[in-house]
Amino acid sequence: MTNEDLKKAIEKLKDRKIEIEYISKIGEGAWHNVYKMKCHTEEDLVLRIRKKKAYGQFQVFKEIDLITEYESSKVYYKQANQCSFNICPSFFDYYIDESLVFTVESYMGEGKTLPTLSHSQAFSIGKKLGETFKFMQDINPDIKGFGDIIWSGNQLEGEVQQAANDFWQADNDYYLSILNSLSTSDLTFNRDKVGDMIFNLIENRRKKQQKIALVNQDVTPENIILNLDKVSLIDPFPKLDFDLKYAGYFVFCYKFLLPAYSNTTRYQKHAYDQYSKKLSRIADGFINGYILNNENLYKRIVDEYILWTLLEAYEHFEILNENEVDSKTLQQMGDKKMIKSRLLLCLKELENNSLDYGCSLTKTNLSENH
Ligand SMILES: Nc1ncnc2c1ncn2[C@@H]1O[C@H](COP(=O)(O)OP(=O)(O)OP(=O)(O)O)[C@@H](O)[C@H]1O
Ligand SMILES: [Mg+2]
């Protein structure tokens, strides 16, 4: 990103009748440099200028991918706002040209940082998110189909269009196939106990087909503005997939993934391992808000947590089987040594769950005053 890009973006905004009074840089993710703008509009806005280089590599310009990404954010924001008033930016627009790509959206405030958040505040934020996710997953998505979302030329659709039941059976079969790959490998873990647990779980899971919903695959704290009165969600990575599976993903992310990845280049600056208890309270609050005393849902979220652990173990196992780790994976997951030790952590977590089948997700954590 150069100052030239910023200047050009400001010019383009002028063409769109957005006059800037004041602009300052407020953040940076892997893909965008982010600026806050005071304008002649009612609300403050955010300008996100796309970087030309991400994860150390120049990005090839693919218009269709950019339209897909930004149109899906727009749809996600709209659907989330229908469920919880202004939880996401109410304004969102984008500009795509080979030489410059940017988005403009409502500024959602600064929010608290993890170190300044108390455990009970972490719980309330999680609860609010759990309630919103449940609400959002209960409505039918405007986009048809299943899987990754793609721009067909004039609308968004799911990558695959088949009967929902086919996806459901394939999803369940996939877990059994990766269990088989791990069990027949030379990895050391209690394959009988883990195997029995997964077989039982999948047998029950098949009978209760989940609903296809618009879900978010990027729920990390960087994409959540931790405001107590008004928690906000930004920068989603939407997909059409099963509802409880992704409720389980949120829990898995906050209870397992974030601390487990805090040794990588991508995540080390956040030091998530130092805040694992707080992250865990966000997950407890999330479950509380999502299940609303429905014990059945609690058990089903625990099952999804276990299945995400299995998927994570398998992903690590596959990367270890490759000759080389590519540069993006190196930054996001670490070198082979780190990947091996995280794989062992996943297997341990699976074994622990097979012992008491309640893992770190004990129900006593789910109350506000724990
Ligand atoms: N609408 C907004 N309101 C307030 N702050 C924002 C907004 N959008 C972005 N930010 C700030 O800028 C940071 C980076 O923004 P964003 O997540 O959009 O970048 P990115 O490069 O797309 O991220 P990623 O690395 O997750 O793909 C956020 O963590 C947040 O602090
Ligand atoms: Mg982000």
Side-chain angles (χ1 to χ4, degrees), residues 134 244 290-291 294-302:
K134 177 76 173 84
L244 283 167
Y290 191 93
I291 68 175
N294 182 341
E295 292 286 315
N296 287 333
L297 281 189
Y298 172 77
K299 163 80 171 62
R300 292 173 74 191
I301 288 179
V302 174

Side-chain angles (χ1 to χ4, degrees), residues 233-251:
L233 279 171
I234 53 168
D235 191 24
F237 180 21
K239 182 182 183 190
L240 292 162
D241 212 320
F242 297 112
D243 57 353
L244 283 167
K245 178 174 178 178
Y246 274 81
Y249 181 68
F250 185 100
V251 177

Side-chain angles (χ1 to χ4, degrees), residues 29 218 222-223 235:
D218 193 350
E222 303 132 82
N223 294 336
D235 191 24

Side-chain angles (χ1 to χ4, degrees), residues 26-32 34 46 48 105-109 218 222-223 225 234-235 266:
I26 55 164
E28 181 171 351
W31 300 96
H32 298 92
V34 184
V46 159
R48 295 162 70 236
E105 63 182 56
S106 317
Y107 174 66
M108 304 307 281
D218 193 350
E222 303 132 82
N223 294 336
I225 312 242
I234 53 168
D235 191 24
R266 171 77 168 88

Side-chain angles (χ1 to χ4, degrees), residues 205-254:
R205 188 178 188 260
R206 277 192 201 279
K207 295 175 205 148
K208 294 196 196 95
Q209 187 173 322
Q210 295 177 23
K211 182 177 175 300
I212 297 175
L214 185 66
V215 298
N216 184 1
Q217 304 169 83
D218 193 350
V219 289
T220 55
E222 303 132 82
N223 294 336
I224 294 175
I225 312 242
L226 304 166
N227 242 329
L228 298 179
D229 340 317
K230 197 185 146 301
V231 52
S232 306
L233 279 171
I234 53 168
D235 191 24
F237 180 21
K239 182 182 183 190
L240 292 162
D241 212 320
F242 297 112
D243 57 353
L244 283 167
K245 178 174 178 178
Y246 274 81
Y249 181 68
F250 185 100
V251 177
F252 181 61
C253 186
Y254 280 76

Side-chain angles (χ1 to χ4, degrees), residues 132-146:
T132 305
F133 275 50
K134 177 76 173 84
F135 204 166
M136 216 175 145
Q137 293 182 349
D138 283 349
I139 59 177
N140 287 326
D142 288 338
I143 313 167
K144 299 282 160 270
F146 185 81

